[in-house]
Amino acid sequence: MRVIGLAGWSGAGKTTLLTRLLPWLTAQGLRVSTLKHAHHRFDVDQPGKDSHAHREAGAHQVLVASANRWALMTELRGAPEPGLAELLSHLSPVDLVIVEGFKRDTHPKLEVFRAANGKPWLHPEDAAIRAVAADAPPPGGLPLAGLDEIPAIGALVLEHAAPWPS
């Protein structure tokens, strides 16, 4: 399994880029998974559903399965937030995992930059950023693809994704 992250400020277009990049990568015959870090409280479950009642009653994990998909929810119940390595260990083997968030971790990353955000570049302070998808040339001469150049971004992702120890 190989891993690469997308790093960038909120509003840079990471999620939009990822939703455009995934079809291109899968068309290349790759099995791709994503791992998204949420900075805020989130819930994938709905009040009134049996699985929600199980969690609310104190279950540590709830696995919901159907003919179309399955999902495993784990309640931390005060335990520390798991790190990237632990979360990656829970994924099924695939060719590539794209991580959105975890920008302080040291896995290789592609910076997504939009000049209109008015935010500074991340890569001068993050040596793990190997390439850039942007609407402006980056300082420092990192490999660059335009935000709409999906095949070029895909090539950068594949070039810079690194094997992850299983």
Side-chain angles (χ1 to χ4, degrees):
M1 177 164 75
R2 295 175 41 194
V3 173
I4 192 159
L6 296 183
W9 297 102
S10 178
K14 297 181 299 294
T15 301
T16 299
L17 175 61
L18 190 51
T19 60
R20 296 180 64 210
L21 185 59
L22 282 166
W24 186 87
L25 291 166
T26 58
Q28 308 311 303
L30 298 171
R31 288 180 19 148
V32 183
S33 291
T34 63
L35 195 159
K36 166 78 171 119
H37 184 264
H39 293 286
H40 46 79
R41 186 176 174 185
F42 77 98
D43 202 335
V44 296
D45 211 357
Q46 298 175 22
K49 297 294 183 184
D50 291 348
S51 55
H52 188 269
H54 296 181
R55 285 192 313 123
E56 291 295 309
H60 173 68
Q61 289 188 311
V62 177
L63 194 146
V64 181
S66 75
N68 295 323
R69 71 188 53 85
W70 66 271
L72 176 63
M73 294 171 280
T74 301
E75 288 295 317
L76 295 177
R77 306 235 184 261
E81 180 178 354
L84 179 59
E86 181 180 341
L87 294 169
L88 286 169
S89 75
H90 293 293
L91 292 176
S92 297
V94 292
D95 300 309
L96 178 67
V97 177
I98 301 176
V99 177
E100 187 179 338
F102 294 93
K103 69 181 172 189
R104 294 189 187 359
D105 282 73
T106 58
H107 60 286
K109 300 175 199 92
L110 179 132
E111 181 172 358
V112 181
F113 180 85
R114 189 173 302 278
N117 264 0
K119 301 281 190 176
W121 290 91
L122 296 175
H123 72 271
E125 304 298 321
D126 185 350
I129 294 175
R130 306 290 203 285
V132 174
D135 59 0
L142 286 177
L144 166 69
L147 289 171
D148 292 323
E149 298 172 348
I150 299 304
I153 295 168
L156 289 173
V157 162
L158 295 175
E159 178 182 348
H160 294 285
W164 190 264
S166 333

